[in-house]
Structures are given as C-alpha cells and as structure tokens.
Amino acid sequence: MDIKKEDIEKLAHLSRLALTEDEITMYTEQLGDIVNYAQSINELDLKDVPPMTHPMVPENVWREDELKECNLKEGLLKNAPERDDGFFVVPRMIDES
Amino acid sequence: MEDIVKLSIKELSGKLDKKELSSKEVVSAYFEVIDKKEKDVGAFLDIYKEESLKAAESFDSKNGKRKSVFDGVPVAIKDNMNITGKKTTCASKILENYTAPYNATVVEKLKNVGAIIVGKTNLDEFAMGSSCENSALKVTKNPRDLSTVPGGSSGGSAAVVAADMVPVSLGSDTGGSIRQPASFCGVVGFKPTYGRISRYGLVAFASSLDQIGPFGRTVEDAAYLYEIVSGRDSHDSTSADLDPDSVVSTLNDSIKGKTVGVIKELMGEGIDKDVQKELQDAIKVYEKLGANIKEVSLPSFKHALAAYYIIATAEASSNLARYDGVKYGFREKADELLDMYKETRDKGFGAEVKRRIILGTYVLSSGYYDAFYLKAQKVRNLIRQNYDEAFETCDVLLSVTSPTKAFKFGEKMADPLAMYLSDIATIPVNLGGNPAVSFPSKPIEKDLPVGIQLAGKLFDEKSILNFANVYERNLG
C-alpha cells in the first residue's frame, strides 16, 4: 500500500490541516513507512475474532433526568479568541461552489 | 539534620501528625530543591510557589486530625489535567493560553484531602511521544543524566520525583507514558486498570487507552497516591463502578509459592543487552523470594505496536478535532472559516501531533477502515485472550519496561518508527486495559536506571504492587 502525495493532501483536507509543501513531502514518506509496518496485522487470521471496541464491557451509565446546576458558562466563554456577549465570533463561511 | 525531602510519605505524614514538622517546613524544603535544580532539569511548565506556601501556612494554623496522609504534603501533576483558574497547555501552542474552567476529578480529590499542588509538569505535546522532546514549550532533561531524555510522555512528572522536587506526582499513560519515563528516570510509575481512576478533566488523547497514574520514589509512596485518586466518578462514564482501592495494607504480603510469568515475546530480539541483563537478575531475585518462575508466550504481542498505532491515532484524530480555534485556544486569523480551521491547526499543532492525526484519519477513512481499524480492534481482542490465558497459571507477568535505557536528545527524532519502538513492552498493557507498574531494577547508582515491569490481571493492582514492593524492600 503506497502512500502518495495526493493521499496526504486529501487527508490534510479531511483533518483540517493547512500543510506546507515540505510537510506534505515529509508526511508522505513517514506515513508510508508507518503504514508498511502496520500492514503486519494482515498476516493474522482474524476471521473468527470479534473486534474489541472498548476494554471494559460497554454498558450505558444512567442517571435521573433532573436539572442540575452548572456554573461554567462564564469560565467557558472567557477562553474565546473572539466573543460577543454569550456568542463565539468566527469568520464567515463561504460556500465552495 | 534530617533531610526532609528524603522522607517517605509515611514518615512525612507521621511527622506532620505529631507536629514534629510543619507543612511550611516541608513545602519550603521542596521549593529549595526546585530553586536549585529546576534551571537544569526544566520539568515544570507552571509553578505555584506563593499559593503553595500560603496553603502550607493555612494547614499549619489548623488543629485537629489531618484529613489524609497527603494533608499538607506537596504534589505535582502533568499539564494535561485541569485545575480551575490555571493554565492547561498540554505542552502545545494551541493551548498555550488556555485557562481551565473546572477541576479534574483527581485534582478535586487531591484538594479535598489537603494535598498541595505545587505546579504542572512538562509532557510531550498532547501526551504523544516517548521522550518529552515533542513538547512545544520546553525541554526537560533526565535528572540522572542531563544529556539524556527523561522519557515520555510524562517526562516532567517522572523528573520532578527523580530530582526530589516533590515526593509524588501524577502522570497519564496511554501506551506507556507513565511507565517508560519511570524506567528512564529510576522511579516507580504505575498505570492502574482502565477505569480505576476518573478521566474527567484529563485532556483526552485516546479515550479507550488513557489512564492517570502515580509516580513515587518507592512503590509504597505511589500506592498511597493511587488510593487517594482511585474510585468511581459520575462525571466519567468509563470509570469502573468500584470504591477507591486499598493496596497499601497488602504491600508486604508474602509472595512465596506464587507464580511469575516471564513474557517470551519481550525478551531477546529488540531489547538492549544491558537491559536484558537486568531482567535476568530480576528473575533471580523473584526465585530467591520463593516465587515460581515460568515462561509464557503471548503471540499477539508481536502485533501490538501496529494495532496500537492504528487505534490510538484513530481515537486521537477524533479527540483533537475540537481544537479548531473557535471556542478556546490559539486562533490564526483568516477571512473564511475553513481557512481559519486549517491554518489554526497547522500552526498550533507540532509535527508529531499532526503525523498522528493524519495517520488516524487515514485508518478511519472510507476504504481503509476494515483493513486497518477493524483489524486492529480484533488484534486487541487477541491480546485480551492471551492475557486471560496467561493469568490462568500466573499471578503476575514480568518483563522489561523499555527496550533501552534513557537515550540522548535527538537520537530517535529522525525516524518516527524508531521512537514508537520504545513502547513495545508497555503498549500491550493499555490495549488489554490491564494494570502495570514499572520499578527500578536496582537502587540508583552511577549507571542509567532500568525499569522492570509487572503486569497484572484486570483490577488486581494489589498483586503487582505487592510483588513490586517485596522486590524493592529486598534490594534495600
């Protein structure tokens, strides 16, 4: 499984990273090495092995549907790079089409 | 004149109880060490000196019984755990100025029992790394040899204990990030079973692997800290429905007639010769202590590293999607939203973090999910099955913690895979969810230390700490 430049560019877009040309070159090579190494798991016969999604048996943890106090609002807004009262301000979104 | 900073937690606690020592004297003594050594070691990202001394004075002015063994005692925590009103940077530019609006549950527990948190320690950025070299904010050096790395990702938390700057500290461990630096710095580092300690307020890296755990100079010191922070937490749905654990009282139980399994796949090839020798010596110690030794094979371990770097990076790519410049953290200005996301993240994250996000995105992407992520989850199941089988005939499993001793700065930075191989012995433990402890193979001397690792059955922290403590006591 060869990793090509185009693969990295696509992944960069999916993961919202504005990689530089140098970074794309570097990650293309490094990812290729790592993916080659990771391919070793294809040696195993895993047909009858169920996947383990979580180390502990996943059971939902319930609580009563009651309103509880949560005084975090100001603390959360305090870290905003840009805010307008109770809102986070962001640049506008331009439709790519 | 006694050296306050050499006292064990038990001795310290006893003297504070009897008012033979004041908390102010204790905290001041530790700050003397910090003032002297921190400029060389560089383990702290933030230090709360004035507040700590004030907290110590406040403790001294009170009468009556102390709240716990840690009441009036200084501790440090890794800078990926929240303290209200303090910075949590995760050693990243993207969170360099982030102020936590709430306490991590472990911090809440420490404060409730009177522990004095003196500062936050350095780490590999977002806990991704095995040397602390990936910190975007600072370089931390191994107190045993300043030309070598302290290990990672909890390099700072290991270093502060190794340098006697605090008696105990908390780190986090996803693929070995407590145990490996403990090995490199010559201290005890312990990762409990997944779910023993609440992850609420711990910045998530890989949610099915992350666990918080203690560092101490001795097994007993680490055990005391573990008892305080363990226990079910309603804020963390993945925390096990168990009371805080009790492990100190059984530390000195006899291990005669019990069985130590030595893991075949973690011996020989890939392990440095001088590290191998320590393991062979450790086996002899356990024989002398009356334990049965048997070799066990866990064949799935050959694929553990591959499975780990698929699962952990997949989970990381998801967990780190939140760092987008919108609600908190660093934001790179842009006219358009998508550009803002991309520029913010490219400039805010370091190379290793980006590498793992890209890899994680790859293994989860359409067309590759079945080939990588699904298969890795099946390997995880095989690891669990191998552990279960080994524990049918063994009480604990023995191996080295790391294939090498602490390496020099820059030695493994050119090849990411070479760095990842540091974790071959620690990673299977996280995949299985099992508890494991790393402790020095022998008392500290001029050579770089080597850590010995014991892994245990799920929720059997008692046994591994017992075995580790008996070993340590036996070596004097």
Side-chain angles (χ1 to χ4, degrees), chain B residues 108-159:
Chain B
E108 202 62 45
K109 289 188 175 208
L110 285 173
K111 285 183 185 264
N112 286 341
V113 300
I116 297 172
I117 301 174
V118 299
K120 300 285 209 78
T121 59
N122 197 20
L123 59 154
D124 280 298
E125 189 178 355
F126 282 106
M128 300 182 189
S130 310
S131 66
C132 231
E133 290 170 290
N134 292 323
S135 168
L137 302 183
K138 195 164 191 176
V139 173
T140 298
K141 299 178 182 167
N142 189 328
R144 306 290 174 204
D145 177 345
L146 297 173
S147 72
T148 65
V149 301
S153 60
S154 311
S157 284

Tab-separated table of all heavy atoms in Angstrom, chain B residues 108-159:
chain	number	residue	atom	x	y	z
B	108	GLU	N	-9.683	17.540	42.255
B	108	GLU	CA	-10.712	17.726	43.274
B	108	GLU	C	-10.417	16.818	44.469
B	108	GLU	O	-10.447	17.259	45.624
B	108	GLU	CB	-12.065	17.374	42.643
B	108	GLU	CG	-13.282	17.951	43.297
B	108	GLU	CD	-13.358	19.467	43.296
B	108	GLU	OE1	-13.083	20.102	42.256
B	108	GLU	OE2	-13.671	20.019	44.353
B	109	LYS	N	-10.098	15.566	44.190
B	109	LYS	CA	-9.810	14.609	45.263
B	109	LYS	C	-8.559	15.012	46.035
B	109	LYS	O	-8.524	14.945	47.263
B	109	LYS	CB	-9.621	13.200	44.685
B	109	LYS	CG	-10.913	12.587	44.192
B	109	LYS	CD	-10.735	11.130	43.805
B	109	LYS	CE	-12.087	10.549	43.441
B	109	LYS	NZ	-12.200	9.128	43.659
B	110	LEU	N	-7.520	15.435	45.322
B	110	LEU	CA	-6.283	15.842	45.994
B	110	LEU	C	-6.534	17.049	46.882
B	110	LEU	O	-6.058	17.104	48.027
B	110	LEU	CB	-5.195	16.185	44.964
B	110	LEU	CG	-4.542	15.002	44.259
B	110	LEU	CD1	-3.622	15.483	43.141
B	110	LEU	CD2	-3.745	14.154	45.250
B	111	LYS	N	-7.278	18.028	46.370
B	111	LYS	CA	-7.555	19.216	47.173
B	111	LYS	C	-8.392	18.868	48.401
B	111	LYS	O	-8.142	19.379	49.493
B	111	LYS	CB	-8.249	20.279	46.318
B	111	LYS	CG	-7.275	20.978	45.363
B	111	LYS	CD	-7.939	22.086	44.555
B	111	LYS	CE	-6.967	22.670	43.539
B	111	LYS	NZ	-6.270	23.882	43.994
B	112	ASN	N	-9.365	17.977	48.208
B	112	ASN	CA	-10.226	17.603	49.332
B	112	ASN	C	-9.470	16.921	50.470
B	112	ASN	O	-9.890	16.989	51.625
B	112	ASN	CB	-11.359	16.677	48.873
B	112	ASN	CG	-12.427	17.428	48.112
B	112	ASN	OD1	-12.523	18.650	48.212
B	112	ASN	ND2	-13.217	16.703	47.343
B	113	VAL	N	-8.375	16.237	50.130
B	113	VAL	CA	-7.618	15.572	51.204
B	113	VAL	C	-6.452	16.426	51.693
B	113	VAL	O	-5.636	15.972	52.474
B	113	VAL	CB	-7.105	14.173	50.785
B	113	VAL	CG1	-8.258	13.270	50.420
B	113	VAL	CG2	-6.066	14.258	49.704
B	114	GLY	N	-6.345	17.662	51.187
B	114	GLY	CA	-5.352	18.591	51.710
B	114	GLY	C	-3.996	18.577	51.012
B	114	GLY	O	-3.052	19.236	51.468
B	115	ALA	N	-3.871	17.842	49.909
B	115	ALA	CA	-2.594	17.858	49.193
B	115	ALA	C	-2.366	19.243	48.597
B	115	ALA	O	-3.321	19.924	48.240
B	115	ALA	CB	-2.601	16.808	48.082
B	116	ILE	N	-1.107	19.643	48.498
B	116	ILE	CA	-0.775	20.978	47.980
B	116	ILE	C	-0.133	20.810	46.605
B	116	ILE	O	0.978	20.295	46.486
B	116	ILE	CB	0.189	21.707	48.940
B	116	ILE	CG1	-0.498	21.917	50.291
B	116	ILE	CG2	0.636	23.040	48.344
B	116	ILE	CD1	0.406	22.457	51.387
B	117	ILE	N	-0.879	21.217	45.554
B	117	ILE	CA	-0.360	21.053	44.196
B	117	ILE	C	0.583	22.210	43.893
B	117	ILE	O	0.161	23.366	43.809
B	117	ILE	CB	-1.510	21.006	43.169
B	117	ILE	CG1	-2.456	19.844	43.512
B	117	ILE	CG2	-0.950	20.819	41.757
B	117	ILE	CD1	-3.705	19.777	42.655
B	118	VAL	N	1.877	21.910	43.735
B	118	VAL	CA	2.871	22.984	43.605
B	118	VAL	C	3.094	23.416	42.161
B	118	VAL	O	3.703	24.448	41.910
B	118	VAL	CB	4.223	22.599	44.233
B	118	VAL	CG1	4.063	22.338	45.712
B	118	VAL	CG2	4.874	21.434	43.540
B	119	GLY	N	2.633	22.624	41.196
B	119	GLY	CA	2.826	23.050	39.814
B	119	GLY	C	2.438	21.993	38.806
B	119	GLY	O	2.037	20.878	39.153
B	120	LYS	N	2.563	22.376	37.512
B	120	LYS	CA	2.223	21.485	36.400
B	120	LYS	C	3.509	21.089	35.687
B	120	LYS	O	4.402	21.931	35.469
B	120	LYS	CB	1.321	22.208	35.377
B	120	LYS	CG	0.002	22.700	35.900
B	120	LYS	CD	-1.003	21.571	36.091
B	120	LYS	CE	-2.416	22.024	35.927
B	120	LYS	NZ	-2.830	22.192	34.541
B	121	THR	N	3.579	19.838	35.296
B	121	THR	CA	4.830	19.350	34.716
B	121	THR	C	4.752	19.198	33.199
B	121	THR	O	3.674	19.050	32.620
B	121	THR	CB	5.199	17.987	35.331
B	121	THR	OG1	4.145	17.069	35.071
B	121	THR	CG2	5.425	18.121	36.819
B	122	ASN	N	5.933	19.196	32.580
B	122	ASN	CA	6.080	19.134	31.134
B	122	ASN	C	5.751	17.754	30.593
B	122	ASN	O	5.842	16.748	31.301
B	122	ASN	CB	7.533	19.501	30.765
B	122	ASN	CG	7.689	19.868	29.292
B	122	ASN	OD1	6.715	20.208	28.623
B	122	ASN	ND2	8.919	19.807	28.799
B	123	LEU	N	5.346	17.717	29.313
B	123	LEU	CA	4.994	16.476	28.661
B	123	LEU	C	5.254	16.596	27.170
B	123	LEU	O	5.490	17.701	26.669
B	123	LEU	CB	3.502	16.163	28.890
B	123	LEU	CG	2.474	17.192	28.402
B	123	LEU	CD1	1.126	16.534	28.096
B	123	LEU	CD2	2.240	18.260	29.461
B	124	ASP	N	5.212	15.461	26.478
B	124	ASP	CA	5.168	15.507	25.019
B	124	ASP	C	3.812	16.114	24.668
B	124	ASP	O	2.814	15.839	25.314
B	124	ASP	CB	5.270	14.105	24.417
B	124	ASP	CG	6.700	13.580	24.374
B	124	ASP	OD1	7.526	14.209	23.688
B	124	ASP	OD2	6.963	12.560	25.033
B	125	GLU	N	3.777	16.924	23.602
B	125	GLU	CA	2.552	17.617	23.216
B	125	GLU	C	1.354	16.661	23.115
B	125	GLU	O	1.426	15.651	22.414
B	125	GLU	CB	2.765	18.304	21.868
B	125	GLU	CG	1.647	19.230	21.466
B	125	GLU	CD	1.917	19.924	20.134
B	125	GLU	OE1	3.019	19.747	19.583
B	125	GLU	OE2	1.009	20.631	19.652
B	126	PHE	N	0.277	17.001	23.827
B	126	PHE	CA	-0.932	16.170	23.862
B	126	PHE	C	-0.648	14.723	24.236
B	126	PHE	O	-1.366	13.822	23.841
B	126	PHE	CB	-1.712	16.248	22.537
B	126	PHE	CG	-2.506	17.512	22.406
B	126	PHE	CD1	-2.087	18.520	21.557
B	126	PHE	CD2	-3.658	17.727	23.169
B	126	PHE	CE1	-2.795	19.719	21.460
B	126	PHE	CE2	-4.362	18.927	23.087
B	126	PHE	CZ	-3.925	19.921	22.225
B	127	ALA	N	0.404	14.521	25.009
B	127	ALA	CA	0.773	13.197	25.524
B	127	ALA	C	1.220	12.258	24.418
B	127	ALA	O	1.194	11.038	24.588
B	127	ALA	CB	-0.379	12.572	26.316
B	128	MET	N	1.666	12.828	23.281
B	128	MET	CA	2.093	11.989	22.166
B	128	MET	C	3.612	11.987	22.042
B	128	MET	O	4.198	12.919	21.461
B	128	MET	CB	1.482	12.496	20.861
B	128	MET	CG	-0.018	12.471	20.903
B	128	MET	SD	-0.716	13.012	19.346
B	128	MET	CE	-2.428	13.130	19.800
B	129	GLY	N	4.226	10.938	22.573
B	129	GLY	CA	5.681	10.880	22.457
B	129	GLY	C	6.278	10.001	23.519
B	129	GLY	O	5.600	9.592	24.465
B	130	SER	N	7.554	9.684	23.375
B	130	SER	CA	8.246	8.804	24.325
B	130	SER	C	9.534	9.421	24.835
B	130	SER	O	10.439	8.708	25.272
B	130	SER	CB	8.551	7.467	23.634
B	130	SER	OG	7.398	6.953	23.008
B	131	SER	N	9.648	10.748	24.805
B	131	SER	CA	10.907	11.348	25.241
B	131	SER	C	10.733	12.737	25.837
B	131	SER	O	11.689	13.302	26.358
B	131	SER	CB	11.868	11.464	24.060
B	131	SER	OG	11.355	12.379	23.102
B	132	CYS	N	9.555	13.318	25.729
B	132	CYS	CA	9.288	14.700	26.142
B	132	CYS	C	9.894	15.697	25.149
B	132	CYS	O	9.761	16.903	25.331
B	132	CYS	CB	9.817	14.972	27.550
B	132	CYS	SG	8.588	15.711	28.636
B	133	GLU	N	10.512	15.207	24.068
B	133	GLU	CA	11.098	16.115	23.086
B	133	GLU	C	10.031	16.778	22.225
B	133	GLU	O	10.308	17.751	21.526
B	133	GLU	CB	12.087	15.358	22.195
B	133	GLU	CG	13.362	14.941	22.907
B	133	GLU	CD	14.195	13.986	22.063
B	133	GLU	OE1	13.782	12.823	21.870
B	133	GLU	OE2	15.243	14.414	21.587
B	134	ASN	N	8.813	16.230	22.238
B	134	ASN	CA	7.743	16.811	21.437
B	134	ASN	C	7.018	17.942	22.139
B	134	ASN	O	6.047	18.478	21.599
B	134	ASN	CB	6.726	15.749	21.029
B	134	ASN	CG	7.314	14.752	20.052
B	134	ASN	OD1	8.100	15.099	19.187
B	134	ASN	ND2	6.928	13.500	20.205
B	135	SER	N	7.426	18.326	23.320
B	135	SER	CA	6.829	19.486	23.984
B	135	SER	C	7.108	20.709	23.136
B	135	SER	O	8.239	20.930	22.699
B	135	SER	CB	7.429	19.677	25.372
B	135	SER	OG	7.046	20.944	25.898
B	136	ALA	N	6.073	21.518	22.892
B	136	ALA	CA	6.263	22.732	22.098
B	136	ALA	C	6.750	23.872	22.985
B	136	ALA	O	7.066	24.953	22.495
B	136	ALA	CB	4.955	23.121	21.425
B	137	LEU	N	6.787	23.634	24.293
B	137	LEU	CA	7.041	24.739	25.203
B	137	LEU	C	8.388	24.675	25.920
B	137	LEU	O	8.926	25.703	26.320
B	137	LEU	CB	5.919	24.806	26.258
B	137	LEU	CG	4.504	24.973	25.697
B	137	LEU	CD1	3.496	25.102	26.821
B	137	LEU	CD2	4.410	26.187	24.775
B	138	LYS	N	8.925	23.491	26.127
B	138	LYS	CA	10.103	23.400	26.988
B	138	LYS	C	10.844	22.088	26.785
B	138	LYS	O	10.254	21.089	26.395
B	138	LYS	CB	9.624	23.454	28.433
B	138	LYS	CG	10.686	23.723	29.461
B	138	LYS	CD	10.046	24.137	30.778
B	138	LYS	CE	11.112	24.655	31.725
B	138	LYS	NZ	10.562	25.164	32.971
B	139	VAL	N	12.119	22.078	27.121
B	139	VAL	CA	12.909	20.845	27.115
B	139	VAL	C	13.090	20.390	28.559
B	139	VAL	O	13.485	21.182	29.418
B	139	VAL	CB	14.306	21.084	26.495
B	139	VAL	CG1	15.171	19.837	26.642
B	139	VAL	CG2	14.176	21.459	25.036
B	140	THR	N	12.796	19.125	28.819
B	140	THR	CA	13.038	18.566	30.149
B	140	THR	C	14.173	17.567	30.048
B	140	THR	O	14.230	16.784	29.087
B	140	THR	CB	11.776	17.879	30.694
B	140	THR	OG1	10.742	18.846	30.822
B	140	THR	CG2	12.041	17.244	32.047
B	141	LYS	N	15.084	17.618	31.012
B	141	LYS	CA	16.237	16.720	30.998
B	141	LYS	C	16.122	15.674	32.099
B	141	LYS	O	15.543	15.926	33.153
B	141	LYS	CB	17.528	17.520	31.187
B	141	LYS	CG	17.739	18.540	30.081
B	141	LYS	CD	18.982	19.351	30.289
B	141	LYS	CE	19.103	20.393	29.166
B	141	LYS	NZ	20.112	21.392	29.480
B	142	ASN	N	16.690	14.514	31.851
B	142	ASN	CA	16.670	13.420	32.812
B	142	ASN	C	17.588	13.769	33.983
B	142	ASN	O	18.783	13.993	33.784
B	142	ASN	CB	17.145	12.142	32.119
B	142	ASN	CG	16.944	10.900	32.971
B	142	ASN	OD1	17.012	10.945	34.196
B	142	ASN	ND2	16.710	9.787	32.306
B	143	PRO	N	17.036	13.854	35.220
B	143	PRO	CA	17.883	14.217	36.365
B	143	PRO	C	19.056	13.252	36.591
B	143	PRO	O	20.062	13.642	37.170
B	143	PRO	CB	16.925	14.156	37.553
B	143	PRO	CG	15.573	14.295	36.970
B	143	PRO	CD	15.648	13.671	35.609
B	144	ARG	N	18.949	12.020	36.134
B	144	ARG	CA	20.038	11.048	36.321
B	144	ARG	C	21.218	11.358	35.422
B	144	ARG	O	22.351	11.025	35.731
B	144	ARG	CB	19.568	9.623	36.007
B	144	ARG	CG	18.347	9.185	36.758
B	144	ARG	CD	18.605	8.964	38.220
B	144	ARG	NE	17.365	8.670	38.925
B	144	ARG	CZ	17.165	8.875	40.222
B	144	ARG	NH1	18.127	9.373	40.966
B	144	ARG	NH2	16.017	8.572	40.777
B	145	ASP	N	20.947	11.943	34.271
B	145	ASP	CA	21.990	12.305	33.306
B	145	ASP	C	21.384	13.339	32.384
B	145	ASP	O	20.553	13.015	31.534
B	145	ASP	CB	22.436	11.062	32.520
B	145	ASP	CG	23.465	11.388	31.440
B	145	ASP	OD1	23.645	12.565	31.083
B	145	ASP	OD2	24.092	10.430	30.944
B	146	LEU	N	21.816	14.592	32.566
B	146	LEU	CA	21.168	15.702	31.880
B	146	LEU	C	21.355	15.681	30.362
B	146	LEU	O	20.731	16.460	29.659
B	146	LEU	CB	21.675	17.046	32.451
B	146	LEU	CG	21.351	17.281	33.929
B	146	LEU	CD1	22.043	18.552	34.432
B	146	LEU	CD2	19.843	17.398	34.170
B	147	SER	N	22.207	14.788	29.840
B	147	SER	CA	22.361	14.710	28.379
B	147	SER	C	21.364	13.728	27.779
B	147	SER	O	21.320	13.539	26.557
B	147	SER	CB	23.783	14.275	28.017
B	147	SER	OG	23.962	12.899	28.331
B	148	THR	N	20.529	13.114	28.657
B	148	THR	CA	19.555	12.136	28.163
B	148	THR	C	18.135	12.608	28.424
B	148	THR	O	17.886	13.480	29.257
B	148	THR	CB	19.746	10.755	28.838
B	148	THR	OG1	19.460	10.872	30.230
B	148	THR	CG2	21.154	10.238	28.634
B	149	VAL	N	17.207	11.977	27.680
B	149	VAL	CA	15.801	12.350	27.813
B	149	VAL	C	15.200	11.719	29.071
B	149	VAL	O	15.678	10.677	29.520
B	149	VAL	CB	14.980	11.907	26.568
B	149	VAL	CG1	15.532	12.550	25.317
B	149	VAL	CG2	14.930	10.401	26.445
B	150	PRO	N	14.156	12.337	29.623
B	150	PRO	CA	13.502	11.769	30.800
B	150	PRO	C	12.480	10.688	30.430
B	150	PRO	O	11.938	10.026	31.286
B	150	PRO	CB	12.778	12.965	31.409
B	150	PRO	CG	12.456	13.830	30.243
B	150	PRO	CD	13.573	13.653	29.262
B	151	GLY	N	12.246	10.534	29.096
B	151	GLY	CA	11.194	9.627	28.655
B	151	GLY	C	9.908	10.412	28.466
B	151	GLY	O	9.817	11.585	28.763
B	152	GLY	N	8.881	9.737	27.960
B	152	GLY	CA	7.632	10.442	27.739
B	152	GLY	C	6.448	9.484	27.643
B	152	GLY	O	6.645	8.289	27.571
B	153	SER	N	5.274	10.075	27.637
B	153	SER	CA	5.067	11.497	27.546
B	153	SER	C	5.113	12.203	28.905
B	153	SER	O	5.243	13.429	28.941
B	153	SER	CB	3.732	11.807	26.872
B	153	SER	OG	2.688	11.246	27.606
B	154	SER	N	5.019	11.451	30.031
B	154	SER	CA	5.007	12.125	31.342
B	154	SER	C	6.418	12.395	31.853
B	154	SER	O	6.730	12.127	33.015
B	154	SER	CB	4.256	11.285	32.384
B	154	SER	OG	3.019	10.847	31.924
B	155	GLY	N	7.286	12.918	30.978
B	155	GLY	CA	8.680	13.129	31.349
B	155	GLY	C	8.851	14.074	32.526
B	155	GLY	O	9.689	13.851	33.404
B	156	GLY	N	8.056	15.140	32.537
B	156	GLY	CA	8.146	16.123	33.626
B	156	GLY	C	7.772	15.522	34.965
B	156	GLY	O	8.459	15.722	35.969
B	157	SER	N	6.669	14.751	34.992
B	157	SER	CA	6.203	14.154	36.247
B	157	SER	C	7.185	13.134	36.792
B	157	SER	O	7.306	12.961	37.998
B	157	SER	CB	4.830	13.502	36.047
B	157	SER	OG	3.835	14.503	35.984
B	158	ALA	N	7.895	12.430	35.895
B	158	ALA	CA	8.913	11.479	36.345
B	158	ALA	C	10.126	12.235	36.878
B	158	ALA	O	10.683	11.904	37.931
B	158	ALA	CB	9.332	10.561	35.200
B	159	ALA	N	10.520	13.280	36.146
B	159	ALA	CA	11.718	14.039	36.509
B	159	ALA	C	11.582	14.731	37.866
B	159	ALA	O	12.529	14.752	38.657
B	159	ALA	CB	12.045	15.063	35.427
